[in-house]
Amino acid sequence: MSAALKGWILPLIRHTLINSTRNNTSSKKQMEMENHMGSQRRRQENEEALISERTGSLGCIGWLIVILSGLFVFLLFPVTIWFCFKTVQEYERAVIFRLGRITDRKPKGPGIFFILPCTDSLVKVDLRTVSFDIPPQEILTKDSVTVSVDGVVYFRVSDPIASVANVTNADFSTRLLAQTTLRNVLGTKNLAEVLSDREGIAHSMQSNLDEATDNWGIKVERVEIKDVKLPFQLQRAMAAEAEAAREARAKVIAAEGEMNASRALKEASLVIAESPSALQLRYLQTLNTIAAEKNSTIIFPLPMDVISHFMRK
């Protein structure tokens, strides 16, 4: 009876645990999906609210003007056809304003499209990547060192409608913002970090610029630091420091060489002391070396025991 009860209870517990694990996993995935969908929904609502402000109703007078413009185009059809059709290139988009309001949530293009010549006006937006140089900026680092830094920024228009409706001049505004962002980012870095961590600084600038220009319909693709110029006095000081460090290393290496040479001479003297004939062989080898160089002067060393014999007398 107990074995049958165990055989019935254990599968039930296992099934319950598996279901609870699956439920937890599914709940986590569901929460992540809800958060992602919520962020997308909020962003879409903001965009729709912004676009709804732009694309309001034209009113009775506005529709009357549009109808009259259409009749005018129809009556003068052979002539007005050249003003009704517009074309934009593959890398361009057209934002159309009808009586001062944006007509559609999406820009027109590429290709050919129709407009009313009397009521519609268009603004062409280039979607190609644009690059510009950041002028050299005099920046005071965190450790109170003045440096001159310049860079280059690559960006493109990701939302043509926002780039036209939300900012007067997206290109000029992005250039000014890049200069101030470079100053703000480098003002929190030490000189050593500015010289060594260029990639991190560029990544930080890119994220800050991309976040700030998102409402303008601008996508910052890449930021690079070109050159870091130090003051002349600081360059001389750093060069003197590097030269002193190299001289110190050279002296240490020379001292180590002298120490190793003295140890080798000590070992050689011990070997010669054990065998007196080795000194004579070394003397003959030295004479051979001097004679091979065609020298006119040959020095004959005298043994110390001979000199000591004469000194006694």
Side-chain angles (χ1 to χ4, degrees):
M1 183 68 180
S2 62
L5 185 61
K6 290 181 180 179
W8 178 73
I9 291 175
L10 290 177
L12 180 61
I13 295 173
R14 189 181 298 108
H15 181 69
T16 304
L17 293 174
I18 292 172
N19 288 334
S20 63
T21 304
R22 290 178 179 176
N23 291 331
N24 292 331
T25 305
S26 62
S27 63
K28 290 180 180 178
K29 292 182 179 179
Q30 186 176 2
M31 290 178 63
E32 292 177 357
M33 291 179 63
E34 289 178 355
N35 293 332
H36 183 65
M37 292 177 64
S39 61
Q40 289 183 347
R41 191 182 301 110
R42 287 192 298 270
R43 184 175 181 180
Q44 186 176 3
E45 288 176 356
N46 295 332
E47 292 179 355
E48 289 178 356
L50 185 62
I51 293 173
S52 64
E53 294 178 358
R54 305 173 190 155
T55 58
S57 177
L58 296 176
C60 296
I61 298 177
W63 283 112
L64 179 61
I65 294 174
V66 171
I67 292 172
L68 292 177
S69 177
L71 291 175
F72 177 75
V73 171
F74 179 75
L75 294 176
L76 301 177
F77 178 72
V79 178
T80 56
I81 189 173
W82 304 104
F83 303 96
C84 293
F85 291 99
K86 300 292 183 180
T87 58
V88 292
Q89 302 296 330
E90 182 70 28
Y91 53 84
E92 292 179 335
R93 297 295 183 272
V95 180
I96 301 176
F97 292 88
R98 177 165 294 168
L99 296 178
R101 295 181 179 273
I102 297 177
T103 59
D104 197 356
R105 295 183 178 181
K106 293 183 179 180
K108 298 293 184 180
I112 189 170
F113 53 90
F114 178 83
I115 64 170
L116 294 175
C118 299
T119 60
D120 294 352
S121 61
L122 62 89
V123 178
K124 292 184 179 181
V125 180
D126 197 334
L127 301 183
R128 292 177 293 182
T129 299
V130 180
S131 62
F132 65 90
D133 292 329
I134 302 176
Q137 303 292 314
E138 295 289 339
I139 299 168
L140 185 66
T141 60
K142 190 176 181 180
D143 50 354
S144 301
V145 178
T146 303
V147 294
S148 178
V149 183
D150 58 351
V152 60
V153 178
Y154 299 87
F155 72 95
R156 61 178 176 85
V157 177
S158 60
D159 188 355
I161 295 178
S163 66
V164 172
N166 290 352
V167 62
T168 304
N169 191 337
D171 181 83
F172 184 69
S173 301
T174 304
R175 292 172 185 267
L176 293 181
L177 184 61
Q179 297 179 20
T180 57
T181 304
L182 179 63
R183 288 177 174 272
N184 294 334
V185 171
L186 293 182
T188 60
K189 304 290 184 180
N190 297 326
L191 179 61
E193 294 175 350
V194 173
L195 296 176
S196 61
D197 191 19
R198 294 192 179 187
E199 185 176 356
I201 294 173
H203 181 71
S204 178
M205 282 189 59
Q206 179 182 355
S207 60
N208 293 338
L209 280 174
D210 196 15
E211 182 179 358
T213 58
D214 189 24
N215 294 330
W216 300 345
I218 300 297
K219 174 64 177 176
V220 179
E221 296 181 341
R222 191 177 182 87
V223 178
E224 291 293 340
I225 302 298
K226 291 177 61 178
D227 190 15
V228 179
K229 297 181 181 179
L230 302 176
F232 182 70
Q233 294 81 1
L234 183 59
Q235 293 181 12
R236 292 184 61 183
M238 294 179 67
E241 181 182 1
E243 185 178 359
R246 288 193 296 269
E247 289 180 357
R249 288 195 298 267
K251 290 180 180 180
V252 170
I253 294 173
E256 290 178 354
E258 292 290 340
M259 182 177 62
N260 294 332
S262 62
R263 289 178 180 175
L265 290 174
K266 179 182 177 182
E267 294 177 358
S269 63
L270 293 176
V271 172
I272 291 174
E274 293 177 357
S275 178
S277 60
L279 181 61
Q280 187 66 24
L281 293 175
R282 180 60 181 166
Y283 165 68
L284 295 175
Q285 184 180 3
T286 305
L287 288 179
N288 187 18
T289 304
I290 294 174
E293 295 178 358
K294 299 181 180 180
N295 291 327
S296 59
T297 303
I298 299 177
I299 300 174
F300 292 94
L302 295 176
M304 293 297 297
D305 53 356
V306 176
I307 298 176
S308 61
H309 179 71
F310 286 103
M311 289 177 65
R312 290 173 187 172
K313 293 181 178 182

